[in-house]
Amino acid sequence: MLDIADLDGDLDVDVDGDRAAVAIVDSEEGRVPRRLVGDNGRVLDALQELTRLAVQVETGERSRLMLDVAGYRADRRATLVALAQEAVAAVQASGVKKELEPMTAFERKIVHDVVAAAGLVSESDGLDPNRHVVILPT
């Protein structure tokens, strides 16, 4: 895809658990165009889905491949962990449930994991694209 579109960038391929992780990173020739991420990662999500479909066509099996561009997902994960930790602290201090902003399924999973690690319970509520995490007091 990068060659066809004449875009700079190199591929880093790794395996994270049972999931292939493909990252498009800056190359010696130049920076990866950040437009491949798009607003709130929407272009990246679409590229990831197209990549998964291409893998499925080649292998005949559904892929759980994760695609990242220029570290966007790693940065977003760090932001979500911090947001979840702040929300957990607020719920623990107030004893009142807290609803977070709408998120993708992948983002909600990150938040649910942080909440569970803190000993609280969370649930997803609403319908896409407005599905969000609710953190409940114990």
Side-chain angles (χ1 to χ4, degrees):
M1 175 191 76
L2 294 174
D3 289 341
I4 292 169
D6 194 29
L7 298 173
D8 291 323
D10 286 334
L11 294 179
D12 278 349
V13 180
D14 195 11
V15 176
D16 183 12
D18 64 343
R19 178 179 292 214
V22 178
I24 303 173
V25 298
D26 294 338
S27 69
E28 292 179 9
E29 290 78 37
R31 289 172 38 113
V32 175
R34 297 330 191 236
R35 69 179 180 264
L36 293 178
V37 173
D39 289 336
N40 297 318
R42 286 190 181 101
V43 173
L44 175 56
D45 289 341
L47 289 172
Q48 176 176 281
E49 191 58 30
L50 287 172
T51 304
R52 286 178 174 175
L53 288 171
V55 169
Q56 183 174 355
V57 166
E58 284 297 314
T59 65
E61 296 182 25
R62 183 159 162 40
S63 169
R64 294 186 57 223
L65 176 141
M66 287 297 297
L67 179 66
D68 195 5
V69 172
Y72 173 82
R73 291 208 194 276
D75 292 345
R76 181 68 177 146
R77 177 185 293 272
T79 298
L80 288 168
V81 167
L83 173 77
Q85 289 170 335
E86 289 174 17
V88 163
V91 169
Q92 288 172 327
S94 69
V96 176
K97 74 178 181 179
K98 181 157 182 72
E99 296 186 14
L100 302 180
E101 75 231 23
M103 299 175 193
T104 66
F106 177 74
E107 293 172 333
R108 290 192 310 270
K109 170 79 167 91
I110 293 167
V111 173
H112 287 306
D113 289 348
V114 171
V115 171
L120 293 181
V121 174
S122 59
E123 57 189 29
S124 292
D125 190 34
L127 301 173
D128 285 329
N130 296 314
R131 196 155 172 82
H132 60 279
V133 174
V134 179
I135 302 172
L136 304 170
T138 53

